[in-house]
Amino acid sequence: MDISIALILGQDGITNGAIYALLALALVLVFAVTRVIFIQQGEFVAYGALTLAMMQGGSVPATVWLLLAMGVLVTLFDGAAALRSGQARKALGVAGWNLAYPLALAGLFAVVPVASLPLFAHVVLTLAIVVPMGPMMYRLMYQPIASAPVLILLIVSVALHIAMVGLGLLFFGAEGQRTPAFSEASFDLGPLLITGQTLWVLVVSALLIVALYQFFERTLYGKALRATAINRVGAQLMGISPALAGKLTFLLAAFIGALSGVLIAPITTIYYDTGFLIALKGFVAAIIGGLASYPLAALGALAVGLLEAFASFWASAYKEVIVFTLIIPVLLWRSLSTHHVEEEE
Amino acid sequence: MTTETVHSNAGAAQPVLEVKDLCVSYGKVEALTNASLTVGEGQIVTVIGPNGAGKTTMLSAIMGVLGSKGRVAFDGTLEVVPEVERMVARGMNLVPEKRELFGEMSVEDNLVLGAFQRYRMGKRDHAQTLEEVYALFPRLKERRDQAAGTMSGGERQMLAVGRALMAKPKLLMLDEPSLGLAPLIVREIFRIIAELRRRGVSILLVEQNARAALQVADYAYVLETGQVAMEGPAHLLADDPRVIEAYLGFGKHQDMLST
């Protein structure tokens, strides 16, 4: 291997590592606030990428119907409950976000021909469709069992992962998709050819990480999520309901997932079930951070990305094995260096 | 000396909180049986009683942290089932026995989070409330950037009270605010309780330190094995031989607080 190959592999590794870092941060966040292990993070990546690809192909993305279906269910549960307790305004708000909003999106697709829209509009629409599924999913599947043990929540996550992969096959078909790059620009940096998309991935990831940091440090809602992660009872006594914290967290996680999908769709071919493998690497990084430390998770993600890139050069047939084997020494080190912690209820 | 029949706090001007026949059970064990109490506006009402009498359970049920049966009317509205967020939004705040602070966050972040529910409802005056709380607890202002978990027990208790005050409560419920604190700090805490009443906050105070509680309160309830055993104006209960024997220990003039 000469220096130029090493540089190219390094570039690949850092680009993928940036995406893994985003996913790892979302996993840590979701676990800290809700104790849910967010297995289905990868499906949000795939749904983001493939919804964009479908629109690029000129068709109405099928995910909009899933959004509508979830919205109807949420409206039935929450709207009815609000009406029963005589809170008409709340019921109206519930219906507005969960029914009127998906209907408006569906209506938009009925009126505007998808193919006529520019790439940027497709990206915005993709996020508009996929991201609200996060809070809806929390409301429907996790909120009723929010105080269940971690294991039960994990089982629900696995079930949702399987269901979403199946629906993905139904929506997007078995074909892999790749979308055009955000920009065709590229330039040389020494022996290295840096593509516009690589820059997009790095810049957007960096901006998102900074934005998330600002959100958690500066805004009251961000602090409320941190507070919930630190002390659930204390947060509840401040009026921060676990339901609100859970929905907000899932909103962020779905946004990170869908945006990651949109960013990598021009770099790799995405199949309906590709997301799992991508998110699993984010998961390895999150485990390196002990599902608790954001900086460690981000560093772990970079390590995973680089290891993957170099492994694909030296032993490409074993690259996944090598990456996932990394988790074994990490787990060993974790279990030896930390004391057993009883699960907090 | 049948205080339970002679006195009733029902005559308190404008009740803020009226609890009737509140029952809480953990499985088959009944922790609270038909407990009733009233807190009038601007009053300090205390609930004293031995460990395990159900005092904390009662506060948790009123706040909606625990499920319960019975009637809880707060600020003129009957709550069928109290729900924590709703109670906070309506002006009820609980300072729990364990403080439940956000240990890794700064003192100031802890305080600001106390105003979360108000902020969410569009009342964004927390910067001003923060100054008021700092005026009441100058110590917290000195330590505003320190992590809450690294402070002393007394400071943590002040922070817990300050955090609750950030919500500008109509009714503040304090669960064992003096527990585990040095006598000097206990005195400071009770001074602040009296000061809060002067500012128009109604207070429901649960205490094992019966002497200090009866001294500061207007009205008192004695809770034993999940039931209200006695009630009456605090100064009368402090003279009741049964109370003296069970909760005040030695003679009532040996006042720990005035030393």
Side-chain angles (χ1 to χ4, degrees):
Chain A
M1 180 189 320
D2 61 19
I3 186 79
S4 67
I5 293 176
L7 280 173
I8 290 169
L9 291 175
Q11 183 195 349
D12 259 15
I14 289 171
T15 313
N16 290 337
I19 295 292
Y20 300 151
L22 287 181
L23 299 179
L25 295 184
L27 284 166
V28 173
L29 172 67
V30 169
F31 183 72
V33 176
T34 66
R35 300 176 306 125
V36 168
I37 295 175
F38 198 42
I39 308 273
Q40 64 275 42
Q41 172 77 294
E43 278 59 65
F44 281 94
V45 176
Y47 277 31
L50 294 172
T51 298
L52 179 64
M54 247 182 129
M55 276 191 267
Q56 287 285 301
S59 43
V60 175
T63 33
V64 78
W65 305 119
L66 178 62
L67 180 71
L68 186 58
M70 292 173 85
V72 168
L73 286 177
V74 175
T75 311
L76 282 179
F77 285 127
D78 281 354
L83 278 183
R84 232 180 292 130
S85 59
Q87 294 165 287
R89 259 189 66 199
K90 194 179 166 196
L92 214 62
V94 169
W97 279 111
N98 297 293
L99 201 61
Y101 172 74
L103 278 175
L105 272 179
L108 182 76
F109 283 115
V111 178
V112 183
V114 181
S116 71
L117 294 170
L119 177 63
F120 176 71
H122 284 168
V123 169
V124 171
L125 280 173
T126 298
L127 296 177
I129 294 169
V130 180
V131 175
M133 287 181 190
M136 286 178 186
M137 174 183 283
Y138 183 81
R139 168 61 191 90
L140 293 173
M141 308 309 296
Y142 293 103
Q143 192 174 311
I145 53 161
S147 49
V150 170
L151 182 62
I152 305 284
L153 297 173
L154 173 64
I155 292 170
V156 172
S157 293
V158 172
L160 283 172
H161 155 67
I162 294 170
M164 282 182 85
V165 170
L167 284 174
L169 178 59
L170 181 70
F171 292 155
F172 310 112
E175 297 294 309
Q177 303 281 346
R178 199 182 265 242
T179 61
F182 289 4
S183 102
E184 296 299 338
S186 61
F187 54 91
D188 294 308
L189 193 79
L192 211 55
L193 176 80
I194 300 191
T195 63
Q197 193 63 30
T198 303
L199 275 183
W200 267 101
V201 171
L202 292 178
V203 170
V204 171
S205 307
L207 283 179
L208 194 55
I209 288 173
V210 171
L212 282 174
Y213 180 78
Q214 293 293 324
F215 174 73
F216 287 115
E217 286 295 320
R218 304 251 176 271
T219 72
L220 200 51
Y221 278 92
K223 286 174 186 172
L225 288 189
R226 275 168 62 208
T228 307
I230 294 171
N231 186 334
R232 202 165 271 110
V233 176
Q236 213 179 351
L237 288 175
M238 301 301 107
I240 306 163
S241 77
L244 171 76
K247 280 187 266 191
L248 190 53
T249 304
F250 269 62
L251 181 84
L252 285 172
F255 175 70
I256 290 172
L259 187 68
S260 303
V262 165
L263 284 173
I264 55 165
I267 302 175
T268 34
T269 307
I270 305 279
Y271 295 83
Y272 70 96
D273 61 353
T274 311
F276 183 58
L277 216 53
I278 299 172
L280 215 50
K281 285 164 195 160
F283 188 70
V284 173
I287 291 289
I288 293 174
L291 270 183
S293 160
Y294 295 95
L296 274 182
L299 282 178
L302 276 184
V304 168
L306 287 169
L307 182 69
E308 184 190 19
F310 284 91
S312 67
F313 178 76
W314 280 312
S316 80
Y318 295 105
K319 77 167 180 163
E320 313 291 12
V321 178
I322 291 172
V323 168
F324 291 123
T325 308
L326 177 68
I327 207 169
I328 294 173
V330 169
L331 284 177
L332 267 178
W333 163 63
R334 284 250 156 231
S335 73
L336 290 176
S337 65
T338 50
H339 303 285
H340 179 69
V341 185
E342 287 291 333
E343 186 179 312
E344 213 183 310
E345 282 305 318
Chain B
M1 274 294 180
T2 51
T3 34
E4 56 270 56
T5 50
V6 174
H7 301 288
S8 152
N9 198 20
Q14 283 295 326
V16 170
L17 177 72
E18 275 187 292
V19 176
K20 274 219 170 62
D21 302 327
L22 197 65
C23 301
V24 178
S25 39
Y26 299 106
K28 282 185 179 164
V29 185
E30 212 159 54
L32 201 62
T33 315
N34 294 327
S36 300
L37 67 80
T38 303
V39 181
E41 196 164 321
Q43 269 190 330
I44 297 180
V45 172
T46 186
V47 177
I48 57 176
N51 246 334
K55 305 189 297 294
T56 297
T57 301
M58 181 155 89
L59 291 191
S60 304
I62 294 171
M63 193 70 204
V65 179
L66 272 180
S68 60
K69 274 185 250 161
R71 290 154 49 92
V72 175
F74 175 55
D75 203 19
T77 309
L78 184 72
E79 300 286 341
V80 183
V81 183
E83 186 191 330
V84 186
E85 295 81 39
R86 190 172 141 75
M87 298 315 270
V88 175
R90 296 193 52 220
M92 181 188 282
N93 266 84
L94 170 66
V95 179
E97 189 181 336
K98 293 182 194 156
R99 276 67 142 169
E100 307 288 5
L101 297 172
F102 310 120
E104 292 122 78
M105 297 173 85
S106 71
V107 166
E108 187 150 312
D109 279 352
N110 269 272
L111 287 173
V112 170
L113 278 164
F116 179 80
Q117 189 57 253
R118 280 178 72 79
Y119 182 85
R120 207 179 160 213
M121 293 189 301
K123 294 173 195 150
R124 317 237 149 145
D125 53 359
H126 55 274
Q128 196 203 332
T129 323
L130 190 63
E131 286 313 312
E132 289 168 27
V133 170
Y134 278 151
L136 201 58
F137 301 101
R139 185 100 186 158
L140 294 182
K141 189 167 188 174
E142 286 166 30
R143 312 233 152 175
R144 63 205 296 170
D145 295 321
Q146 194 176 326
T150 64
M151 299 204 303
S152 72
E155 290 165 339
R156 283 214 296 272
Q157 184 61 59
M158 287 177 193
L159 178 55
V161 175
R163 186 178 66 167
L165 290 176
M166 289 296 293
K168 296 200 166 184
K170 286 196 192 81
L171 173 69
L172 187 63
M173 302 198 291
L174 301 163
D175 194 356
E176 306 276 6
S178 71
L179 191 72
L181 300 183
L184 209 62
I185 315 268
V186 174
R187 229 161 95 180
E188 173 72 6
I189 296 280
F190 276 94
R191 183 190 64 77
I192 284 158
I193 291 172
E195 168 66 26
L196 288 178
R197 188 248 304 268
R198 241 192 311 285
R199 298 182 180 202
V201 183
S202 313
I203 291 165
L204 179 56
L205 173 66
V206 158
E207 261 296 346
Q208 282 199 64
N209 187 342
R211 182 177 307 278
L214 289 174
Q215 211 164 58
V216 77
D218 301 299
Y219 200 84
Y221 295 84
V222 177
L223 202 63
E224 280 169 1
T225 59
Q227 288 174 309
V228 174
M230 280 185 264
E231 64 175 287
H235 65 279
L236 290 185
L237 271 195
D239 284 331
D240 189 306
R242 283 179 295 169
V243 174
I244 292 173
E245 194 193 340
Y247 303 109
L248 302 179
F250 36 85
K252 78 182 183 87
H253 297 294
Q254 262 175 297
D255 189 355
M256 189 180 95
L257 285 180
S258 56
T259 53

